[in-house]
Amino acid sequence: MDHFLYRDGALYAEDVPITEIAAAVGTPFYVYSTATLLRHFRLFDEALEGLEHLVCYAMKANSNQAVLRTLAAVGAGMDVVSGGEYRRARAAGVPGDRIVFSGVGKTREEIHLALTGGIRQFNVESEPEMQVLDAVARDLGVVAPITIRVNPDVDAKTHAKIATGKSENKFGIPIARAREVYAMAAAMPGLEIIGIDVHIGSQLTDLEPYELAYQKVAELTEVLRADGHNIKRLDLGGGLGIPYERSNADPPLPSDYGALVRRRLGHLGCEIEIEPGRLIAGNAGLMISEVIYVKKGEGREFLILDSAMNDLIRPAMYDAYHDIIPVLEPAIGVEKQPFDIVGPVCESGDTFAKQRMMPPLSAGDQVAFRSAGAYGAVMSSEYNSRPLIPEVLVRGDQFAVIRARPTFDEMINRDTIPEWL
Ligand SMILES: *Cc1c(COP(=O)(O)O)cnc(C)c1O
């Protein structure tokens, strides 16, 4: 559920007409709904009610400072995967003890930054990382709280580029080696083992892989405790999927997921941490774009938009589907026709949808890409020297630009010329 609905024939973000925002900021742009962000965060929070828990928003999904502040204000923790994200979280007012640090390639500098700035835990992904973390912590005279990310070797049944829990993936340590690696960690004075971490992938639309992974985590908890380790926190990762295609989707709800966590892990008495990203931000955002041309090709018609793969790369990168709807509601019963919906970038990959059934559209009409709040703006670039598009946040009847479109001069002057030119 989101807060982007037609009212009197026009699409609204909460109580603000999209056309009003478009008139103020120009297209293309991203627009996010505060109410949807909060609703999704609360669904997870409520799904774990009764268990000691923290919902750590995976901020790589959408790391705009205003989005982070919105979530931090209601008690969200943050899952960060870089020093830049750590700094963003702190800049948004998130205390260190609500930040967990994930990722396979944490540098010495990033580890130093988090240890000095405050951290809830590091999710350690390899033995070499463990050694560096131990060394940096001892240098600083502190002890780093850690979980070790185990790779449970389960098939998340999602797109290959976002599956992370199979043994061929680069993430975590093989669960079969967990006892050995935990014993190594326990011998390192700069580290304090506090739990186990697992994250098997993104856009999971079936709970079965979670069942398998969490069953393995439950067994591992008992084994590691028997080995004498203090396993008091389980970080269960993120990955719950969203319905990109409204017409044929029925993905599991956070409440179903919460029930699963309770059933598989509730008896262990551990604090539970989860790291949802996409399900919090995805359906809280639209990308709004304008039709530049309607072009007749050989046996097909193209809608050429003013947004492109550099603004929203998911279709090109993951073959992702996004619902695309007109900003002005089509009349009831109007006949739809197939369009290839593309951007202006000079690559055939710059195609948002092929043979998509759409109501008639003309140059100047605006369309909205649904489910564009996660892995949208954060993955955008200025390819083809197209300036990053603005982001707008709506709350009730208010809206604000939360990242402005750079001017062409700002974009060009980011480059510097060596003195010999
Ligand atoms: C990407 C990621 C997440 C969030 O995944 P979503 O599919 O956005 O929920 C959580 N944890 C880790 C470690 C990740 O890499």
Side-chain angles (χ1 to χ4, degrees):
M1 200 213 122
D2 60 40
H3 291 78
F4 303 114
L5 298 170
Y6 287 116
R7 269 193 224 170
D8 302 327
L11 189 63
Y12 275 63
E14 301 191 22
D15 299 326
V16 183
I18 294 293
T19 48
E20 189 182 323
I21 305 173
V25 306
T27 59
F29 63 92
Y30 281 102
V31 56
Y32 311 128
S33 153
T34 299
T36 311
L37 286 167
L38 293 177
R39 178 183 139 80
H40 291 162
F41 172 78
R42 290 197 175 112
L43 287 178
F44 278 112
D45 207 29
E46 286 162 17
L48 297 178
E49 221 162 59
L51 295 170
E52 195 191 341
H53 70 273
L54 183 66
V55 179
C56 292
Y57 168 60
M59 60 178 275
K60 73 175 193 277
N62 184 325
S63 54
N64 187 289
Q65 289 292 292
V67 170
L68 301 186
R69 266 183 198 273
T70 298
L71 293 168
V74 290
M78 298 289 156
D79 172 43
V80 308
V81 292
S82 70
E85 284 195 351
Y86 180 86
R87 285 185 164 88
R88 274 189 176 275
R90 294 307 310 265
V94 183
D97 65 7
R98 276 202 266 144
I99 302 177
V100 303
F101 205 143
S102 301
V104 295
K106 304 176 195 81
T107 64
R108 199 171 274 273
E109 292 69 32
E110 289 173 326
I111 288 169
H112 188 275
L113 171 74
L115 275 177
T116 50
I119 192 78
R120 181 176 180 81
Q121 100 229 1
F122 292 89
N123 294 332
V124 173
E125 300 228 15
S126 67
E127 291 139 283
E129 179 195 334
M130 213 160 80
Q131 283 156 355
V132 170
L133 181 54
D134 174 55
V136 177
R138 281 189 287 118
D139 270 358
L140 289 169
V142 299
V143 175
I146 66 158
T147 70
I148 295 175
R149 177 167 176 183
V150 294
N151 185 323
D153 194 23
V154 302
D155 183 355
K157 298 182 190 145
T158 183
H159 191 281
K161 285 184 185 162
I162 48 176
T164 60
K166 283 289 284 176
S167 52
E168 73 243 33
N169 302 130
K170 67 182 177 183
F171 300 97
I173 57 145
I175 198 162
R177 295 198 48 233
R179 290 181 75 186
E180 184 191 334
V181 179
Y182 270 86
M184 281 174 57
M188 294 182 176
L191 306 182
E192 183 198 359
I193 295 169
I194 58 166
I196 304 172
D197 172 46
V198 69
H199 170 72
I200 56 176
S202 195
Q203 187 53 18
L204 274 70
T205 50
D206 181 359
L207 290 179
E208 170 84 11
Y210 287 115
E211 292 272 5
L212 296 173
Y214 295 173
Q215 180 57 33
K216 290 188 180 189
V217 168
E219 287 160 15
L220 183 63
T221 302
E222 312 266 20
V223 168
L224 293 177
R225 281 177 170 170
D227 285 349
H229 300 295
N230 182 19
I231 305 298
K232 59 183 180 186
R233 183 180 294 165
L234 300 177
D235 183 329
L236 302 176
L240 205 57
I242 61 173
Y244 280 102
E245 200 166 349
R246 304 269 154 142
S247 48
N248 70 357
D250 192 14
L253 302 172
S255 53
D256 304 329
Y257 173 81
L260 183 165
V261 168
R262 225 175 281 278
R263 188 168 69 248
R264 287 285 177 208
L265 303 162
H267 61 286
L268 294 166
C270 286
E271 181 186 3
I272 299 295
E273 240 165 44
I274 57 170
E275 303 170 344
R278 188 188 309 270
L279 205 149
I280 290 181
N283 283 336
L286 304 178
M287 181 177 75
I288 308 298
S289 187
E290 192 169 288
V291 178
I292 308 176
Y293 296 116
V294 182
K295 173 176 167 175
K296 288 200 195 312
E298 196 72 58
R300 59 183 65 214
E301 279 192 52
F302 296 95
L303 283 182
I304 303 177
L305 305 182
D306 64 358
S307 61
M309 63 188 288
N310 67 297
D311 304 309
L312 177 66
I313 204 171
R314 298 191 66 262
M317 182 131 145
Y318 310 114
D319 303 311
Y321 179 100
H322 283 269
D323 273 339
I324 304 170
I325 60 170
V327 166
L328 295 183
E329 191 173 21
I332 296 166
V334 75
E335 202 170 322
K336 292 189 174 178
Q337 65 178 99
F339 285 106
D340 281 13
I341 305 177
V342 303
V345 161
C346 305
E347 293 205 20
S348 296
D350 185 24
T351 298
F352 290 122
K354 284 197 166 146
Q355 295 299 291
R356 180 70 65 85
M357 295 305 286
M358 299 288 290
L361 285 162
S362 330
D365 288 346
Q366 290 164 1
V367 294
F369 287 70
R370 285 191 171 278
S371 309
Y375 307 106
V378 284
M379 294 182 88
S380 58
S381 75
E382 290 182 336
Y383 185 40
N384 278 211
S385 287
R386 298 165 45 82
L388 289 180
I389 67 176
E391 295 173 277
V392 173
L393 183 64
V394 168
R395 192 185 73 159
D397 61 3
Q398 301 172 278
F399 73 92
V401 174
I402 58 173
R403 185 183 73 189
R405 192 190 312 275
T407 65
F408 287 102
D409 280 346
E410 281 165 354
M411 183 176 73
I412 293 166
N413 292 333
R414 240 178 263 140
D415 300 352
T416 52
I417 308 295
E419 60 186 19
W420 65 81
L421 283 177

